[in-house]
């Protein structure tokens, strides 16, 4: 969708340039859409361009794969291999307690272009604990990620999707939720995970998975192959949020 809008902007800018260079009065610019389109290219041509842009955007919906609770020394490397083979980047919400023991894996994630986020230190439900503890859970994890990568994460996935109102202000992090829950931890079944992900996720979907099970890794890679064939593009969460 983003590409569609940027395409439209490019078209408008081109048209604007043409009108300005033709020495029109500023008011003319305000009615630029139709008038200039007819002047410059004719309605048919504009319709064709819009149609093409629309088709392009529909042909390449974007989705973000997100993996919580890792890294797992057993399964994350398999997932990273598969993602690399497919040239796909994903988002990993890491547990602080797993980062220290797996610094090399975390560094590999970063080196291969994945986005790293925070999933608290001990997988706590943030709205059920005192605010100071909640802050510590988040900041301690940020520090672990910084120790491993030299970069503080900006995004976090609150465990259970439980976020305290306005907490993003005090920890200066953006909470990231999801719209497709594959329940991979529950089923641990490749077919069930694929079914939960759906045949055609909506453009902009954020898919929740966990890189802690063999079945999740297998399902994620199959899902990528399946959706890529349909023209989907895989992006990191920040790319979905910030155009
Ligand atoms: Zn979790």
């Amino acid at each position: 969708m983003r590409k569609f809008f940027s395409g439209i902007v490019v078209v408008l800018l081109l048209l604007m340039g043409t009108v300005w260079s033709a020495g029109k009065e500023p008011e003319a610019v305000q009615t630029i859409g139709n008038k200039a389109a007819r002047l410059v290219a004719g309605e048919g041509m504009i319709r064709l361009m819009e149609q093409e842009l629309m088709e392009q955007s529909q042909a390449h919906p974007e989705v973000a794969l997100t993996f919580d609770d890792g890294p797992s020394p057993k399964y994350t490397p398999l997932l990273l291999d598969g993602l690399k083979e497919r040239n796909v980047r994903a988002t990993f919400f890491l547990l602080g307690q797993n980062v220290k023991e797996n610094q090399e894996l975390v560094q590999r994630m970063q080196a291969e272009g994945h986005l790293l986020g925070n999933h608290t230190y001990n997988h706590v439900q943030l709205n059920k604990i005192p605010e100071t503890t909640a802050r510590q859970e988040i900041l301690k994890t940020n520090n672990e990620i910084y120790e491993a990568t030299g970069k503080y994460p900006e995004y976090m996935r609150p465990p259970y999707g439980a976020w305290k109102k306005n907490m993003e202000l005090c920890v200066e992090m953006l909470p990231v939720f999801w719209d497709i829950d594959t329940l991979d931890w529950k089923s641990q079944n490749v077919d069930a995970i694929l079914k939960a992900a759906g045949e055609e996720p909506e453009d902009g979907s954020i898919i929740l998975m966990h890189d802690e099970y063999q079945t999740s890794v297998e399902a994620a890679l199959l899902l990528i192959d399946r959706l890529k064939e349909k023209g989907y593009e895989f992006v990191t969460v920040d790319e979905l949020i910030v155009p």
Side-chain angles (χ1 to χ4, degrees):
M1 208 50 198
R2 215 168 52 232
K3 287 201 188 89
F4 170 68
F5 284 121
S6 51
I8 289 288
V9 169
V10 169
V11 170
L12 284 177
L13 284 176
L14 283 173
L15 292 174
M16 222 173 219
T18 316
V19 171
W20 278 112
S21 61
K24 295 262 179 184
E25 294 298 320
E27 311 78 281
V29 178
Q30 291 167 7
T31 54
I32 199 156
N34 292 332
K35 223 183 224 174
R38 276 188 222 104
L39 284 173
V40 178
E43 272 179 16
M45 181 61 88
I46 290 299
R47 222 176 293 133
L48 267 181
M49 286 162 78
E50 282 177 352
Q51 205 177 333
E52 198 180 319
L53 286 168
M54 188 70 94
E55 276 166 12
Q56 274 174 13
S57 111
Q58 281 168 352
H60 297 287
E62 292 178 339
V63 292
L65 280 178
T66 62
F67 296 92
D68 289 9
D69 297 5
S72 145
K74 198 165 175 193
Y75 299 113
T76 308
L78 299 174
L79 177 61
L80 289 175
D81 290 345
L83 293 174
K84 196 175 179 187
E85 248 169 59
R86 289 160 179 81
N87 196 23
V88 162
R89 284 166 308 118
T91 304
F92 290 88
F93 292 103
L94 308 173
L95 278 181
Q97 60 177 345
N98 291 345
V99 172
K100 199 175 226 138
E101 307 292 310
N102 298 289
Q103 283 205 347
E104 279 180 19
L105 255 183
V106 177
Q107 284 157 3
R108 181 180 167 193
M109 288 171 173
Q110 190 191 36
E112 294 178 2
H114 304 293
L115 179 69
L116 307 186
N118 181 325
H119 195 48
T120 75
Y121 200 88
N122 294 299
H123 208 271
V124 289
Q125 189 165 340
L126 291 164
N127 60 354
K128 291 238 166 117
I129 56 175
E131 192 161 320
T132 44
T133 320
R135 272 176 59 104
Q136 277 168 7
E137 280 281 334
I138 294 169
L139 298 180
K140 215 169 138 193
T141 305
N142 279 353
N143 288 338
E144 289 291 352
I145 294 173
Y146 180 81
E147 284 292 312
T149 64
K151 197 171 173 262
Y152 286 106
E154 294 166 24
Y155 297 89
M156 77 166 297
R157 158 86 34 84
Y160 318 103
W163 189 242
K164 244 183 185 155
K165 204 178 168 200
N166 293 332
M167 201 158 68
E168 61 274 20
L169 302 175
C170 80
V171 291
E172 291 181 16
M173 298 197 81
L174 268 183
V176 175
F177 301 92
W178 59 88
D179 60 330
I180 296 180
D181 188 350
T182 62
L183 295 172
D184 57 332
W185 58 276
K186 206 172 177 185
S187 72
Q188 293 185 41
N189 176 295
V190 173
D191 288 336
I193 297 168
L194 287 171
K195 201 170 169 214
E199 291 288 322
E200 289 182 355
E202 262 177 54
D203 187 23
S205 282
I206 298 180
I207 302 172
L208 169 60
M209 300 187 83
H210 301 79
D211 49 330
E212 284 193 300
Y213 311 94
Q214 175 86 30
T215 44
S216 298
V217 174
E218 278 174 31
L221 299 178
L222 279 171
L223 181 65
I224 290 169
D225 294 339
R226 185 185 278 188
L227 293 183
K228 268 192 154 187
E229 228 165 71
K230 291 182 178 173
Y232 280 79
E233 280 175 17
F234 289 85
V235 297
T236 49
V237 158
D238 55 341
E239 292 174 300
L240 271 190
I241 295 173
V242 184

